Amino acid sequence: MATDEAITSQPRTKRKEIETFVRDLDPLNVLEWLPQDVVDKYLVPIGMEYLSKCFLENKINGHVLLALTEDHMKEMGCAVLGDRVVFMEYLNLLKKHKRDADRSKSLWSANTPKIGLQYHRNCGEFCFNLWCNCCVQTTEWRITGQGIRWRKNRAPINCCGDIETQFVDYRFLKDLEIRKDPKCCCFCPATELLVYADDKDSTSVRQLRSNTAQSPKDDPEPVSILHPDAARAESLIRNAWADAKLVAD
């Protein structure tokens, strides 16, 4: 039976589908979109293709799309308040997705220990690691816009060793220090980055646990990254740390 009652809201299922679509978009791909791509790949899927002419006339490409504000929408001639509210709600989801992607992407990654005399504590350790790789415990390092993450892997020959993943959030970072000291002999200076933090979020999967415990009153030891590219890692951390402070403020 027909009804004269006006439809004043979108079905909830449609709204959820659109939100899922927006979250699944790759922000890096969006940045490469041409104005026609914005229409075909964004406005049409979210059900706002009637804004196509406005977007094409104002040359809204992917980069501009991610910078749009409601004031921009007014300047473009989008006079209907409801359209602006709905559009900005979906666009803000996309912008948040991009911020999260920017913060979680890897800025620098490396493995230690490195093959090199200067990156070992002594000549015996260097020879041992060189000739017995299956006995060496390695560490995987990853610097992101959120913090510093590292994973200590057990040696391949040791099926019962520890596997530990730790993370230092930039909120807890105190200071960074670069050192260039000879680790094995005076002819081989090594670059070492020391990371000082108040606290670190540790997520550890252990099959063996140490029986020793550190006193809670003791200051935590700095995290050491002994790597030829440590100076570059320090620069990237400082930049990401500064960006994180701006976001927090």
Side-chain angles (χ1 to χ4, degrees), residues 123-169:
C123 293
E125 181 182 88
F126 168 72
C127 293
F128 177 81
N129 289 349
L130 182 63
W131 298 108
C132 190
N133 287 331
C134 62
C135 302
V136 178
Q137 186 178 30
T138 61
T139 303
E140 301 173 12
W141 301 91
R142 186 167 177 259
I143 296 171
T144 70
Q146 295 175 316
I148 308 163
R149 186 180 302 277
W150 67 98
R151 171 185 168 126
K152 294 181 179 179
N153 300 315
R154 57 174 172 255
I157 200 173
N158 184 5
C159 61
C160 300
D162 293 351
I163 297 178
E164 181 179 0
T165 300
Q166 294 187 340
F167 178 76
V168 171
D169 192 296

Side-chain angles (χ1 to χ4, degrees), residues 15-26 33 40-46 94 97:
R15 179 185 179 86
K16 288 184 177 180
E17 289 174 4
I18 294 175
E19 290 177 351
T20 301
F21 162 77
V22 172
R23 291 193 183 98
D24 288 342
L25 287 173
D26 185 346
W33 284 354
D40 296 338
K41 299 179 181 180
Y42 190 74
L43 292 182
V44 173
I46 67 174
L94 181 58
H97 184 30

Side-chain angles (χ1 to χ4, degrees), residues 39 47 65 77 82 97 111 121 230:
V39 171
L65 175 66
H97 184 30
N111 293 330
R121 304 297 173 181

